[in-house]
Structure formats: structure tokens, C-alpha cells
Amino acid sequence: MAYIMVDVETDGPIPGDYSMISFGAVLVDEQLDKTFYGQLKPISEQYIPETLAVSGFTRQETLAFDDPQTVMTNFAAWIKIVAKDRPVFISDNNGFDWMFICWYFHHFTKANPFGFSSQNLGSMYKGLVKDTFQNFKHLRKTKHTHHPVDDAKGNAEALLTLKKEYGLKIKF
């Protein structure tokens, strides 16, 4: 399986009514050098200024971003290149990140290369340490900046640590 760590930045809480502004992905392997970054033009007039501010972009800047269909088509092509076998979507907050990526794939390309499921990094960690109150975020090496490639890379580093130091049985 090819684990692809994904992080999403948005301007609101749900896809369709609000927009995915940018996202980053990294193929999880020892190098962490295969990345994808997309900036997407808003698909809705609605946005929450405080939510958008987390991304570091203004509304005016996002209006000049790329066409979402083009970005999602390019992302699907990238996944096909880097994933030599079945791609697996994994995220720090897969409930949030997955719904945007899945919705955008189906809306703009009519198919989701990840299929119909995702995995949650935090839940993996909680299971390994047998404590639902624990958090994996101390395992990141790359600073969490809200640039989605940085954040995906930090989460991928944490997943590699789970494999090496905690005995997580996972094949890359």
C-alpha cells in the first residue's frame, strides 16, 4: 500500500457551501520527498474570515488560485505516479480533511483514487500507547505552520516514528 499523508486548509467547515483553499500531500516513505501542493480558487461566495485567516491567505489572494478541477485532476495524476499500488489516505484529522478531498474528487473528477475510506493518524497512536487521551503531535519534526505540505510532512514523520519506535506494523 502507498500511504499518502494529506492536510487541508479551508475557508469554512464543510465542502460545497465553503471552499478548500489549499492542500498538501506527501508519500510516506523514508525520503518524504514526493509531495503535492494545490491552491484552489473558491467555489462559493461564502467564507468565514477567521477560518480563512488560518491559511495565511486573504480572500482576494484565493480568488487568483487555480481552477479546482485542474488541481484535482493533477492530484489524481500525481497519486497514480507515486502510488505503485493502492493509495491509502491518512491524515491528522481525517474526518475533516477526508470530507473535503473526497467531495472535491467526486465533484470535479467523478472519482476518488483513494476509494471510500481513510485512516486517522491520531487514532493509530492512541491505540499503540493504549491511551485515548494521548496525542502524537510531539513526534513531528517539521514545524506545524498551517502550510499543508509542512503539516503533512510533520504528520508523515510521526507515522514513520510509530513504525520505527512503537512497532506499528505498516508497509510502505
Side-chain angles (χ1 to χ4, degrees):
M1 289 191 229
Y3 282 79
I4 298 175
M5 189 68 70
V6 178
D7 186 72
V8 166
E9 299 298 330
T10 73
D11 66 10
I14 59 172
D17 291 345
Y18 298 94
S19 305
M20 180 165 58
I21 297 305
S22 63
F23 68 92
V26 60
L27 176 69
V28 182
D29 63 11
E30 294 300 325
Q31 295 77 37
L32 299 179
D33 61 350
K34 294 173 186 72
T35 64
F36 185 91
Y37 178 58
Q39 293 180 320
L40 303 91
K41 185 181 301 187
I43 60 168
S44 166
E45 296 298 318
Q46 296 183 85
Y47 71 100
I48 300 170
E50 297 81 16
T51 304
L52 177 59
V54 171
S55 72
F57 295 110
T58 65
R59 179 66 172 187
Q60 200 61 32
E61 288 172 319
T62 66
L63 294 173
F65 286 176
D66 297 324
D67 173 67
Q69 184 162 2
T70 301
V71 174
M72 298 312 291
T73 299
N74 290 343
F75 186 36
W78 178 84
I79 291 169
K80 195 171 210 169
I81 290 167
V82 301
K84 301 304 176 200
D85 51 9
R86 186 170 90 77
V88 176
F89 181 102
I90 185 166
S91 176
D92 169 12
N93 183 356
N94 68 321
F96 185 79
D97 296 336
W98 171 258
M99 77 172 156
F100 275 91
I101 293 292
C102 185
W103 190 94
Y104 270 70
F105 265 135
H106 282 285
H107 188 79
F108 290 107
T109 71
K110 306 300 182 219
N112 183 347
F114 292 112
F116 295 98
S117 62
S118 64
Q119 295 190 15
N120 183 283
L121 178 60
S123 295
M124 284 183 183
Y125 180 72
K126 291 170 192 308
L128 284 170
V129 299
K130 297 177 178 34
D131 185 345
T132 61
F133 296 100
Q134 293 298 311
N135 190 307
F136 76 90
K137 295 179 182 184
H138 65 283
L139 301 176
R140 293 172 175 154
K141 294 175 185 161
T142 300
K143 185 176 179 185
H144 193 79
T145 63
H146 289 289
H147 184 290
V149 173
D150 289 345
D151 297 352
K153 186 174 181 184
N155 292 335
E157 292 161 348
L159 182 59
L160 289 172
T161 299
L162 295 185
K163 181 180 181 184
K164 291 176 192 167
E165 296 179 19
Y166 292 83
L168 178 65
K169 292 185 179 162
I170 191 168
K171 292 182 182 179
F172 301 128

